[in-house]
Amino acid sequence: MKSIPFSELDDEDKTNLGITYFKLGRYNDAIEILKNINNENIPDSKYILTASYFNIGKYDEAKLLIDKNWEQILKAKKTDQINFRGMIYFYEKNYEKAIETLEKTLEINPDDVQAANGLSRIYAAKGETEKAEEYLAKVQEGFDKLVIEERQKTNLVEKLHKLQEAYQAKRFQEVIDLANEVLPNAQAKNKAALYQYLYNSYLALGMTKEAQETMAKAKQMQQQ
């Protein structure tokens, strides 16, 4: 990206470069690139700019961007930016507004770890130990849930690889067993492929009835 003259980069390229700097922790570089992008068709530029200001402690700049787009942020349920605003209120010692704001996140996602952690810190600062511990427990519950979800994702990926290997080796019964095992927890984009594997495997084993039933389920899923 840097081999191309900056003047020749379009707004999307500049945003991608800014995102790269952000992920590298080079927040000032991200800000220099993103602060002059006013393309409403690239919302990521404003989000990364806000996050960059927040991460280097330039809270006034961050809150100006958030407040300017507050109704849109709420409507789109952008919890990261809602959390930024809540924490800025906290750093300004406006604890009641901080609580009110972070609770908006929990209304959207009761398992949001950042919001629960922020509320725990706010109540601790107010000296309300019991409430602080209540939200700290929510933080731990959220982390535990995330760990379980990550393990499930890893397990799913491993089984999908095994399924593909079995299909290539024409071990069709193994394909059927694996596909039926992972289907209930698979995302829609994966379910379409799984139904196709099932359909082909049933046909390969001469199980026409099962193949037809699988195709019917796939069509039903597409119509939902």
Side-chain angles (χ1 to χ4, degrees):
M1 192 78 73
K2 290 183 69 177
S3 67
I4 303 170
F6 189 76
S7 59
E8 294 181 13
L9 296 175
D10 60 23
D11 286 345
E12 188 172 351
D13 289 333
K14 290 175 183 177
T15 298
N16 287 332
L17 184 57
I19 290 172
T20 303
Y21 280 136
F22 177 81
K23 289 184 176 180
L24 290 169
R26 294 171 58 175
Y27 303 123
N28 285 306
D29 289 328
I31 290 167
E32 284 304 307
I33 289 173
L34 298 173
K35 67 182 181 180
N36 295 315
I37 296 176
N38 295 307
N39 191 334
E40 296 299 326
N41 294 321
I42 310 179
D44 284 349
S45 65
K46 293 303 179 190
Y47 166 69
I48 297 298
L49 180 59
T50 302
S52 297
Y53 279 133
F54 184 87
N55 283 331
I56 62 173
K58 290 191 173 183
Y59 302 131
D60 287 341
E61 290 85 346
K63 74 179 180 182
L64 279 174
L65 286 169
I66 295 171
D67 291 348
K68 181 181 178 182
N69 301 289
W70 185 240
E71 291 305 319
Q72 183 181 350
I73 288 168
L74 289 178
K75 186 176 180 180
K77 299 181 179 180
K78 296 182 178 179
T79 53
D80 284 347
Q81 296 195 54
I82 297 171
N83 289 341
F84 288 151
R85 194 63 183 96
M87 293 310 295
I88 291 170
Y89 280 128
F90 170 58
Y91 297 140
E92 294 172 339
K93 299 189 185 303
N94 189 344
Y95 297 144
E96 295 310 314
K97 285 293 290 184
I99 291 168
E100 177 188 330
T101 304
L102 292 175
E103 283 180 344
K104 291 182 187 297
T105 290
L106 294 182
E107 288 172 9
I108 297 167
N109 177 16
D111 297 324
D112 192 289
V113 172
Q114 289 182 329
N117 185 56
L119 285 163
S120 176
R121 292 174 64 187
I122 294 164
Y123 281 114
K126 291 180 67 180
E128 297 184 30
T129 305
E130 188 175 336
K131 290 288 286 185
E133 290 178 353
E134 175 187 330
Y135 280 103
L136 191 60
K138 286 183 179 291
V139 173
Q140 188 58 54
E141 288 173 11
F143 276 128
D144 291 344
K145 190 172 288 187
L146 285 172
V147 169
I148 292 170
E149 287 175 356
E150 287 303 314
R151 286 176 180 167
Q152 288 175 338
K153 287 178 184 176
T154 301
N155 189 37
L156 177 62
V157 170
E158 289 175 353
K159 287 181 178 178
L160 289 173
H161 283 307
K162 287 181 180 179
L163 184 150
Q164 290 170 341
E165 290 174 0
Y167 186 79
Q168 290 171 358
K170 298 184 179 181
R171 300 195 304 270
F172 297 118
Q173 186 57 53
E174 185 178 344
V175 172
I176 292 168
D177 292 341
L178 284 166
N180 282 319
E181 184 179 348
V182 301
L183 258 172
N185 297 316
Q187 295 180 347
K189 62 182 180 180
N190 288 328
K191 282 186 177 181
L194 287 168
Y195 279 127
Q196 191 63 55
Y197 277 119
L198 273 173
Y199 177 77
N200 293 343
S201 298
Y202 280 132
L203 283 183
L205 294 176
M207 302 169 70
T208 308
K209 180 183 176 183
E210 289 82 354
Q212 291 174 345
E213 290 173 350
T214 297
M215 186 55 65
K217 289 179 182 177
K219 288 180 180 179
Q220 184 180 5
M221 183 195 72
Q222 291 172 350
Q223 291 170 357
Q224 291 177 346

